[in-house]
């Protein structure tokens, strides 16, 4: 089965066309600057042939038309007919409390996603736009939604409740949801596979460190806690997001600087984190290079970033009553030996010992022979998780249909 995986953002769409049976991508790319001047589509085929197309791409529908156009094209494409796309899988950021698993998209599901917009005002509207565009362009192709929140939906109440009046949780569904679910699931399963151990008997901590960063505590195959919360703002320090902060600080700044709710949101989401502390960049490569040049604030940013990961490593080991494996993933986790080294330093008492040579070489297992905890560096593949979930749902649908037909 061939699945088109779509990740629709407010002004961009990332896509991957995946042969879900062979677990291989056939084409991937991105449309950027949707609705702006200079919109551009970059497309890459499995044989590394690539192309860049600049066009007037006014909305998500036109962007998806462009994607299909290039996938169908004689010179750059991978399919002969639209019907060669067996299913479409969407990354949907917020499933709220309704969705604890991936689902087939129906009108009812779209209605619930619309009701959940308040929980993810930046993310769910473009996700819905992408789904509706595909409904128009590929009306007979089944679509599935795979939620960032789903993997964390079985967290115990002690991990998801905030210390606010319980009525507010019930009334507004204010609780920890957690995000990056597909990534945490993928790399934790992969870790068990690499270790040759039973996934359902392991205590694993995963650190997804990209522009957004989160950690998850995964006990016996279930996410039992995670650092992101009601929104993807809580927890670790990120490129431009503050992560954990005393809530009073926000009220204090709003009072002092006369900020509106919207402005306070922008401050915490766009001007904080590595950017805010360093005053230099949200990009970890630039932070590390500034640290090497003795840039004082870049050093503060680098230290806060690593220290927070280290603190959660301790916290989650305690939460699970032990630790078998710790996994780094995401752009920073996969590519920065400096971050991995700092985070794992001085943790021998927890059974964590990094092998610096393996770490520098970027090997899959980077722990020393004496380390009780297996340390891993695993490239994430959220798109594959989405493609495989979609395949499973659609195959079940086809099977159910054929059973009904047989009965008829
Ligand atoms: P997103 O969350 O948008 O998917 P990525 O997972 O691609 O982002 O991660 C982007 C981050 O990865 C940036 O901070 C970037 O600096 C960092 N990164 C990429 N390569 C390296 C590297 N070699 N060393 C350190 N950081 C890196």
């Amino acid at each position: 089965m061939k699945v088109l995986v779509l990740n629709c953002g407010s002004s961009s769409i990332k896509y991957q066309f995946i042969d879900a049976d062979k677990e291989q991508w056939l084409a991937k790319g991105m449309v950027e600057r949707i609705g702006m001047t200079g919109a551009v589509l970059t497309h890459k085929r499995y044989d590394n042939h690539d192309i860049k197309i600049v066009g007037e791409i006014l909305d998500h529908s036109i962007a998806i038309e462009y994607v299909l156009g290039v996938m169908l094209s004689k010179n750059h494409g991978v399919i002969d007919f639209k019907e060669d796309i067996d299913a479409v899988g969407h990354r949907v950021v917020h499933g709220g409390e309704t969705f604890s698993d991936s689902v087939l998209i129906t009108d009812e599901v779209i209605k619930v996603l619309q009701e959940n917009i308040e929980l993810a005002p930046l993310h769910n509207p473009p996700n819905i736009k992408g789904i509706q565009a595909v409904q128009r362009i590929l009306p007979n192709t089944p679509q599935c939604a795979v939620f960032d929140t789903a993997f964390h939906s079985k967290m115990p109440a002690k991990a998801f409740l905030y210390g606010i009046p319980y009525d507010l949780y019930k009334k507004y569904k204010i609780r920890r949801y957690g995000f990056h679910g597909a990534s945490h699931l993928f790399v934790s399963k992969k870790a068990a596979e690499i270790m040759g151990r039973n996934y359902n008997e392991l205590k694993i901590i995963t650190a997804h460190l990209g522009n957004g960063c989160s950690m998850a505590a995964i006990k016996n195959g279930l996410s039992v806690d995670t650092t992101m919360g009601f929104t993807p703002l809580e927890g670790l320090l990120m490129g431009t997001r503050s992560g954990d902060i005393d809530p009073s600080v926000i009220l204090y700044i709003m009072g002092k600087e006369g900020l509106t709710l919207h402005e306070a949101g922008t401050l915490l989401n766009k001007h904080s984190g590595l950017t805010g502390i360093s005053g230099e960049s949200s990009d970890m490569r630039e932070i590390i290079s500034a640290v090497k040049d003795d840039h004082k604030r870049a050093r503060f940013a680098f230290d806060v970033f690593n220290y927070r990961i280290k603190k959660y490593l301790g916290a989650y080991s305690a939460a699970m009553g032990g630790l078998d494996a710790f996994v780094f993933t995401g752009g920073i986790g996969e590519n920065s030996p400096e971050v991995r080294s700092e985070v794992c330093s001085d943790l021998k008492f927890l059974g964590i010992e990094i092998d610096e040579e393996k770490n520098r070489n970027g090997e899959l297992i980077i722990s020393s022979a004496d380390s009780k905890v297996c340390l891993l560096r695993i490239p994430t593949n959220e798109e594959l998780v989405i493609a495989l979930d979609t395949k499973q749902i659609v195959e079940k649908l086809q099977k159910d249909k054929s059973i009904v037909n047989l009965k008829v």
Side-chain angles (χ1 to χ4, degrees), residues 49 57-58 100 129 182 197 221 247 281 291 321 338 348 388 403:
H49 168 82
I57 304 179
L58 295 180
S100 53
K129 275 190 197 164
R197 300 272 307 273
S281 173
V291 167
E338 294 89 346
K348 201 170 167 186
L388 293 178
I403 291 170

Side-chain angles (χ1 to χ4, degrees), residues 103 307 344:
V103 289
Y307 179 64
C344 295

Side-chain angles (χ1 to χ4, degrees), residues 270-322:
K270 305 256 189 236
H271 303 297
S272 299
L274 292 174
T275 295
I277 297 181
S278 72
E280 283 288 300
S281 173
S282 64
D283 190 304
M284 184 52 92
R285 281 167 294 203
E286 289 174 20
I287 296 291
I288 290 173
S289 137
V291 167
K292 286 179 183 154
D293 290 340
D294 284 331
H295 189 293
K296 191 170 145 202
R297 281 173 56 185
R299 164 58 71 182
F300 286 151
F302 185 69
D303 287 349
V304 174
F305 184 87
N306 297 322
Y307 179 64
R308 225 175 257 190
I309 299 169
K310 195 181 258 231
K311 278 208 297 192
Y312 273 112
L313 190 52
Y316 285 172
S317 304
M320 293 192 290

